[in-house]
Amino acid sequence: QVQLVDSGGGSVQAGGSLRLSCVASTSSSSTKYMGWFRQAPGKEREGVATIDTRGGATYYSDSVKGRFTVSQDNAKNTVYLQMNSLKPEDTAMYYCAATYPWFSGGNVLSPTTFTYWGQGTQVTVSS
């Protein structure tokens, strides 16, 4: 069982930046991928960015590529999402998630791939 605590959301103006943090209760050996997802009111949850916690490979949705960066600090069991050049359409509840350690194959930006979830942190971008 992996517990995730995500934080760092807030309200910013368009063009601003925020950094989200996700602290896992166990080391990266207990997961394979950790990712960030978001869900706006009335919309489905969508994948934003994912990192392979062992190999370091990263994956991004087209909507955030070049603006967001996912990274990890294994010593702190923490994954970050640096969000720059924020837009009003980035407004959503952001969730951290993790897969089982034996996960392989599949879409690493799909919510159905992930088993463990944080409680969410709200990001609001005003124009």
Side-chain angles (χ1 to χ4, degrees):
Q1 187 78 9
V2 178
Q3 294 180 330
L4 305 173
V5 178
D6 38 33
S7 62
S11 297
V12 296
Q13 291 190 328
S17 298
L18 284 172
R19 189 178 78 158
L20 307 184
S21 300
C22 174
V23 181
S25 59
T26 61
S27 69
S28 61
S29 62
S30 297
T31 68
K32 172 60 176 174
Y33 293 95
M34 290 186 70
W36 289 96
F37 295 80
R38 66 187 182 188
Q39 188 167 18
K43 294 188 176 181
E44 293 187 353
R45 190 169 296 189
E46 63 171 345
V48 174
T50 299
I51 186 166
D52 178 340
T53 60
R54 301 174 194 175
T58 56
Y59 308 85
Y60 298 93
S61 67
D62 288 343
S63 61
V64 306
K65 200 172 294 182
R67 300 189 297 123
F68 291 10
T69 303
V70 60
S71 62
Q72 62 180 349
D73 184 335
N74 288 334
K76 297 181 179 180
N77 294 340
T78 301
V79 170
Y80 302 98
L81 184 67
Q82 178 66 44
M83 304 185 296
N84 298 328
S85 302
L86 282 161
K87 305 175 181 180
E89 50 263 44
D90 294 319
T91 295
M93 184 71 80
Y94 283 70
Y95 298 90
C96 173
T99 66
Y100 286 126
W102 54 81
F103 172 80
S104 64
N107 183 351
V108 296
L109 285 173
S110 170
T112 59
T113 295
F114 290 75
T115 302
Y116 306 106
W117 292 85
Q119 80 284 1
T121 185
Q122 177 68 37
V123 171
T124 302
V125 184
S126 58
S127 58

Coordinates of all heavy atoms in Angstrom, one line a residue, residues 67-122:
R67 N 5.9 23.3 -21.1 CA 5.6 24.2 -20.0 C 5.7 23.6 -18.7 O 6.1 24.2 -17.7 CB 4.1 24.7 -20.2 CG 3.9 25.5 -21.5 CD 2.5 26.1 -21.5 NE 1.4 25.2 -21.4 CZ 0.5 25.1 -20.5 NH1 0.5 26.0 -19.5 NH2 -0.5 24.2 -20.5
F68 N 5.4 22.3 -18.6 CA 5.4 21.6 -17.3 C 6.6 20.6 -17.3 O 7.0 20.1 -18.4 CB 4.2 20.8 -17.1 CG 2.9 21.6 -16.8 CD1 2.9 22.9 -17.0 CD2 1.8 20.9 -16.4 CE1 1.7 23.7 -16.8 CE2 0.6 21.6 -16.2 CZ 0.6 23.0 -16.4
T69 N 7.2 20.4 -16.1 CA 8.3 19.5 -16.0 C 8.1 18.6 -14.7 O 7.8 19.1 -13.6 CB 9.6 20.2 -15.8 OG1 9.9 21.1 -16.9 CG2 10.8 19.2 -15.7
V70 N 8.1 17.3 -14.9 CA 8.0 16.4 -13.8 C 9.4 15.9 -13.4 O 10.2 15.6 -14.3 CB 7.0 15.2 -14.2 CG1 7.6 14.4 -15.4 CG2 6.8 14.3 -13.0
S71 N 9.6 15.8 -12.1 CA 10.9 15.3 -11.6 C 10.7 14.6 -10.3 O 9.7 14.6 -9.8 CB 11.9 16.5 -11.5 OG 11.3 17.4 -10.5
Q72 N 11.8 14.0 -9.9 CA 11.7 13.2 -8.6 C 13.0 13.4 -7.8 O 14.0 13.7 -8.3 CB 11.5 11.7 -8.9 CG 12.7 11.1 -9.6 CD 12.4 9.6 -9.9 OE1 11.5 9.0 -9.3 NE2 13.2 9.0 -10.7
D73 N 12.8 13.3 -6.5 CA 13.9 13.3 -5.5 C 13.7 12.0 -4.7 O 12.9 11.9 -3.8 CB 13.8 14.5 -4.6 CG 15.0 14.6 -3.6 OD1 15.6 13.6 -3.3 OD2 15.3 15.7 -3.2
N74 N 14.5 11.0 -5.1 CA 14.3 9.7 -4.5 C 14.7 9.7 -3.0 O 14.1 8.9 -2.2 CB 15.2 8.6 -5.2 CG 14.6 8.3 -6.6 OD1 13.4 8.4 -6.8 ND2 15.4 7.9 -7.5
A75 N 15.6 10.5 -2.6 CA 16.0 10.6 -1.2 C 14.8 11.1 -0.3 O 14.7 10.8 0.9 CB 17.2 11.5 -1.0
K76 N 13.9 11.8 -0.9 CA 12.8 12.4 -0.2 C 11.4 11.7 -0.6 O 10.4 12.1 -0.1 CB 12.6 13.9 -0.5 CG 13.8 14.7 0.0 CD 13.6 16.2 -0.3 CE 14.7 17.0 0.2 NZ 14.5 18.5 0.0
N77 N 11.5 10.6 -1.4 CA 10.3 9.9 -1.9 C 9.3 10.9 -2.4 O 8.1 10.8 -2.2 CB 9.7 9.1 -0.8 CG 10.6 8.0 -0.3 OD1 11.5 7.5 -1.0 ND2 10.3 7.5 0.9
T78 N 9.8 11.9 -3.2 CA 8.9 13.0 -3.6 C 9.0 13.2 -5.1 O 10.1 13.1 -5.7 CB 9.3 14.3 -2.9 OG1 9.2 14.1 -1.5 CG2 8.4 15.4 -3.4
V79 N 7.9 13.4 -5.7 CA 7.8 13.7 -7.2 C 7.2 15.2 -7.2 O 6.3 15.5 -6.5 CB 6.9 12.8 -7.9 CG1 6.6 13.3 -9.3 CG2 7.5 11.4 -8.0
Y80 N 7.8 15.9 -8.2 CA 7.4 17.3 -8.3 C 6.8 17.6 -9.7 O 7.1 16.8 -10.7 CB 8.6 18.2 -8.2 CG 9.3 18.1 -6.9 CD1 10.5 17.3 -6.8 CD2 8.9 18.8 -5.8 CE1 11.1 17.2 -5.6 CE2 9.5 18.7 -4.5 CZ 10.7 17.9 -4.5 OH 11.3 17.8 -3.3
L81 N 5.9 18.6 -9.8 CA 5.5 19.0 -11.1 C 5.7 20.5 -11.1 O 5.0 21.3 -10.4 CB 4.0 18.7 -11.3 CG 3.4 19.1 -12.7 CD1 4.1 18.3 -13.8 CD2 1.9 19.0 -12.7
Q82 N 6.7 21.0 -11.9 CA 6.9 22.4 -12.1 C 6.1 22.9 -13.2 O 6.2 22.4 -14.4 CB 8.4 22.6 -12.4 CG 8.7 24.1 -12.6 CD 8.6 25.0 -11.4 OE1 9.0 24.6 -10.3 NE2 8.0 26.1 -11.6
M83 N 5.2 23.8 -13.0 CA 4.3 24.3 -14.0 C 4.6 25.8 -14.3 O 4.5 26.6 -13.4 CB 2.8 24.2 -13.5 CG 2.5 22.8 -13.1 SD 0.7 22.6 -12.6 CE 0.7 23.7 -11.2
N84 N 5.0 26.1 -15.5 CA 5.4 27.4 -15.9 C 4.4 27.9 -17.0 O 3.7 27.0 -17.6 CB 6.8 27.5 -16.5 CG 7.8 27.1 -15.4 OD1 7.6 27.4 -14.2 ND2 8.9 26.5 -15.8
S85 N 4.4 29.1 -17.3 CA 3.5 29.7 -18.3 C 2.1 29.2 -18.2 O 1.5 28.8 -19.2 CB 4.1 29.4 -19.7 OG 5.4 29.9 -19.8
L86 N 1.6 29.3 -17.0 CA 0.2 28.7 -16.7 C -0.8 29.5 -17.5 O -0.7 30.7 -17.7 CB 0.0 28.8 -15.2 CG 0.6 27.6 -14.4 CD1 0.7 28.0 -13.0 CD2 -0.1 26.3 -14.7
K87 N -1.8 28.8 -17.9 CA -3.0 29.3 -18.7 C -4.3 29.1 -17.9 O -4.4 28.2 -17.1 CB -3.1 28.7 -20.0 CG -1.8 28.7 -20.9 CD -2.0 27.9 -22.1 CE -0.7 27.9 -23.0 NZ -0.8 27.1 -24.2
P88 N -5.3 29.9 -18.1 CA -6.6 29.7 -17.5 C -7.1 28.3 -17.7 O -7.7 27.7 -16.8 CB -7.5 30.7 -18.1 CG -6.6 31.8 -18.5 CD -5.3 31.2 -18.9
E89 N -6.8 27.7 -18.8 CA -7.3 26.3 -19.1 C -6.6 25.2 -18.3 O -6.9 24.1 -18.3 CB -7.2 26.0 -20.6 CG -5.9 26.3 -21.2 CD -5.9 27.6 -21.9 OE1 -6.4 28.6 -21.4 OE2 -5.3 27.7 -23.1
D90 N -5.5 25.6 -17.6 CA -4.8 24.7 -16.7 C -5.5 24.6 -15.3 O -5.2 23.8 -14.5 CB -3.4 25.2 -16.4 CG -2.5 25.1 -17.7 OD1 -2.6 24.1 -18.4 OD2 -1.7 26.0 -17.9
T91 N -6.6 25.4 -15.1 CA -7.3 25.4 -13.9 C -8.0 24.0 -13.7 O -8.7 23.6 -14.5 CB -8.4 26.5 -13.9 OG1 -7.7 27.8 -13.9 CG2 -9.3 26.4 -12.6
A92 N -7.7 23.4 -12.5 CA -8.3 22.1 -12.3 C -7.8 21.6 -10.9 O -6.9 22.3 -10.3 CB -7.8 21.1 -13.3
M93 N -8.4 20.5 -10.4 CA -7.8 19.8 -9.3 C -6.7 18.9 -9.8 O -7.0 18.1 -10.8 CB -8.9 19.0 -8.6 CG -8.4 18.3 -7.3 SD -8.1 19.5 -6.0 CE -9.8 19.8 -5.4
Y94 N -5.6 19.0 -9.2 CA -4.4 18.1 -9.7 C -4.2 17.0 -8.6 O -4.2 17.3 -7.4 CB -3.2 19.0 -9.8 CG -3.2 19.8 -11.0 CD1 -4.0 20.9 -11.2 CD2 -2.3 19.5 -12.1 CE1 -4.0 21.6 -12.4 CE2 -2.3 20.3 -13.3 CZ -3.2 21.3 -13.4 OH -3.2 22.1 -14.6
Y95 N -4.0 15.8 -9.2 CA -3.8 14.6 -8.4 C -2.5 13.9 -8.7 O -2.2 13.8 -9.9 CB -5.0 13.6 -8.6 CG -6.3 14.1 -8.2 CD1 -7.1 14.8 -9.2 CD2 -6.9 13.9 -7.0 CE1 -8.4 15.2 -8.9 CE2 -8.1 14.4 -6.6 CZ -8.9 15.0 -7.6 OH -10.2 15.5 -7.3
C96 N -1.8 13.5 -7.7 CA -0.7 12.7 -7.8 C -1.1 11.2 -7.8 O -2.1 10.9 -7.1 CB 0.3 12.9 -6.7 SG 1.7 11.8 -6.6
A97 N -0.5 10.3 -8.5 CA -0.9 8.9 -8.6 C 0.4 8.1 -8.8 O 1.4 8.5 -9.3 CB -1.9 8.7 -9.7
A98 N 0.2 6.8 -8.4 CA 1.3 5.8 -8.6 C 0.8 4.5 -9.0 O -0.4 4.1 -8.7 CB 2.1 5.7 -7.3
T99 N 1.6 3.7 -9.8 CA 1.2 2.4 -10.2 C 1.8 1.4 -9.3 O 2.6 1.6 -8.4 CB 1.8 2.1 -11.6 OG1 3.2 2.0 -11.5 CG2 1.4 3.2 -12.6
Y100 N 1.4 0.1 -9.5 CA 2.0 -1.0 -8.8 C 3.4 -1.1 -9.3 O 3.8 -0.7 -10.4 CB 1.3 -2.3 -9.2 CG -0.1 -2.5 -8.6 CD1 -1.2 -2.8 -9.3 CD2 -0.2 -2.5 -7.2 CE1 -2.4 -3.0 -8.7 CE2 -1.4 -2.7 -6.6 CZ -2.5 -2.9 -7.4 OH -3.8 -3.2 -6.8
P101 N 4.3 -1.7 -8.5 CA 5.7 -1.8 -8.9 C 6.0 -2.7 -10.1 O 7.0 -2.6 -10.8 CB 6.4 -2.3 -7.6 CG 5.3 -3.0 -6.8 CD 4.1 -2.2 -7.1
W102 N 5.1 -3.7 -10.3 CA 5.3 -4.6 -11.4 C 4.6 -4.2 -12.7 O 4.6 -4.9 -13.7 CB 4.7 -6.0 -11.0 CG 3.3 -6.0 -10.5 CD1 2.2 -5.9 -11.3 CD2 2.8 -5.9 -9.2 NE1 1.1 -5.9 -10.6 CE2 1.4 -5.9 -9.2 CE3 3.5 -5.9 -7.9 CZ2 0.6 -5.8 -8.1 CZ3 2.7 -5.9 -6.8 CH2 1.3 -5.8 -6.9
F103 N 4.1 -3.0 -12.7 CA 3.3 -2.5 -13.9 C 4.3 -2.5 -15.1 O 5.4 -2.0 -15.0 CB 2.8 -1.1 -13.7 CG 2.2 -0.6 -15.0 CD1 0.9 -0.9 -15.4 CD2 2.9 0.3 -15.7 CE1 0.4 -0.4 -16.6 CE2 2.4 0.9 -16.9 CZ 1.1 0.5 -17.3
S104 N 3.8 -2.9 -16.3 CA 4.5 -2.8 -17.5 C 3.5 -2.7 -18.6 O 2.5 -3.3 -18.6 CB 5.5 -4.0 -17.7 OG 4.7 -5.2 -17.9
G105 N 3.9 -1.9 -19.7 CA 3.0 -1.8 -20.8 C 1.8 -0.8 -20.5 O 1.7 -0.4 -19.3
G106 N 1.0 -0.6 -21.4 CA -0.1 0.3 -21.2 C 0.2 1.7 -21.3 O 1.3 2.1 -21.6
N107 N -0.9 2.5 -21.2 CA -0.8 4.0 -21.4 C -0.4 4.6 -20.1 O -1.2 4.7 -19.1 CB -2.1 4.5 -21.9 CG -2.1 6.0 -22.2 OD1 -1.1 6.7 -21.9 ND2 -3.1 6.5 -22.8
V108 N 0.8 5.2 -20.0 CA 1.2 5.8 -18.7 C 0.6 7.1 -18.4 O 1.0 7.8 -17.4 CB 2.8 5.8 -18.6 CG1 3.3 4.4 -18.6 CG2 3.3 6.7 -19.7
L109 N -0.2 7.6 -19.3 CA -0.9 8.9 -19.1 C -2.4 8.6 -18.9 O -3.2 9.6 -18.9 CB -0.7 9.9 -20.2 CG 0.7 10.5 -20.3 CD1 0.9 11.3 -21.5 CD2 0.9 11.4 -19.0
S110 N -2.8 7.4 -18.7 CA -4.2 7.0 -18.5 C -4.5 6.8 -17.0 O -3.7 6.1 -16.4 CB -4.6 5.8 -19.3 OG -5.9 5.3 -18.9
P111 N -5.5 7.5 -16.5 CA -5.8 7.3 -15.1 C -6.1 5.8 -14.7 O -5.8 5.4 -13.6 CB -7.1 8.1 -14.9 CG -7.1 9.1 -16.0 CD -6.4 8.4 -17.1
T112 N -6.6 5.0 -15.6 CA -6.9 3.6 -15.3 C -5.6 2.8 -15.1 O -5.7 1.7 -14.5 CB -7.7 3.0 -16.4 OG1 -6.9 3.0 -17.7 CG2 -9.0 3.7 -16.6
T113 N -4.5 3.3 -15.4 CA -3.2 2.6 -15.2 C -2.7 2.7 -13.8 O -2.0 1.9 -13.3 CB -2.1 3.2 -16.1 OG1 -2.5 2.9 -17.5 CG2 -0.7 2.7 -15.8
F114 N -3.2 3.7 -13.1 CA -2.7 4.0 -11.7 C -3.6 3.5 -10.6 O -4.8 3.6 -10.8 CB -2.5 5.6 -11.6 CG -1.4 6.0 -12.5 CD1 -1.5 6.1 -13.8 CD2 -0.1 6.3 -11.9 CE1 -0.4 6.5 -14.6 CE2 0.9 6.8 -12.7 CZ 0.8 6.8 -14.0
T115 N -3.0 3.1 -9.5 CA -3.7 2.4 -8.5 C -3.8 3.3 -7.2 O -4.9 3.3 -6.6 CB -3.0 1.1 -8.1 OG1 -2.9 0.3 -9.2 CG2 -3.7 0.4 -6.9
Y116 N -2.8 4.0 -6.9 CA -2.7 4.8 -5.7 C -2.9 6.3 -6.1 O -2.3 6.8 -7.0 CB -1.4 4.6 -4.9 CG -1.1 3.2 -4.7 CD1 -0.2 2.5 -5.4 CD2 -1.9 2.5 -3.7 CE1 0.1 1.1 -5.1 CE2 -1.6 1.1 -3.4 CZ -0.6 0.5 -4.2 OH -0.4 -0.8 -3.9
W117 N -3.7 7.0 -5.2 CA -4.0 8.4 -5.5 C -3.8 9.3 -4.3 O -4.1 8.9 -3.2 CB -5.4 8.5 -6.1 CG -5.6 7.9 -7.4 CD1 -5.8 6.6 -7.7 CD2 -5.5 8.6 -8.7 NE1 -5.9 6.4 -9.0 CE2 -5.7 7.6 -9.7 CE3 -5.2 9.9 -9.1 CZ2 -5.6 7.9 -11.0 CZ3 -5.2 10.2 -10.4 CH2 -5.4 9.2 -11.4
G118 N -3.4 10.5 -4.6 CA -3.4 11.5 -3.5 C -4.7 12.2 -3.4 O -5.7 11.9 -4.2
Q119 N -4.9 13.1 -2.5 CA -6.2 13.7 -2.2 C -6.5 14.9 -3.1 O -7.6 15.3 -3.2 CB -6.2 14.2 -0.7 CG -5.5 15.5 -0.5 CD -4.0 15.4 -0.4 OE1 -3.4 14.4 -0.6 NE2 -3.4 16.6 -0.2
G120 N -5.5 15.4 -3.9 CA -5.7 16.4 -4.8 C -5.3 17.8 -4.2 O -5.4 18.0 -3.0
T121 N -4.9 18.7 -5.1 CA -4.6 20.1 -4.8 C -5.1 21.0 -5.9 O -4.9 20.7 -7.1 CB -3.1 20.2 -4.5 OG1 -2.8 21.5 -4.0 CG2 -2.2 19.9 -5.7
Q122 N -5.8 22.0 -5.5 CA -6.4 22.9 -6.5 C -5.5 23.9 -7.1 O -4.7 24.6 -6.4 CB -7.6 23.6 -5.8 CG -8.3 24.6 -6.7 CD -9.1 23.9 -7.8 OE1 -9.7 22.8 -7.6 NE2 -9.2 24.5 -9.0

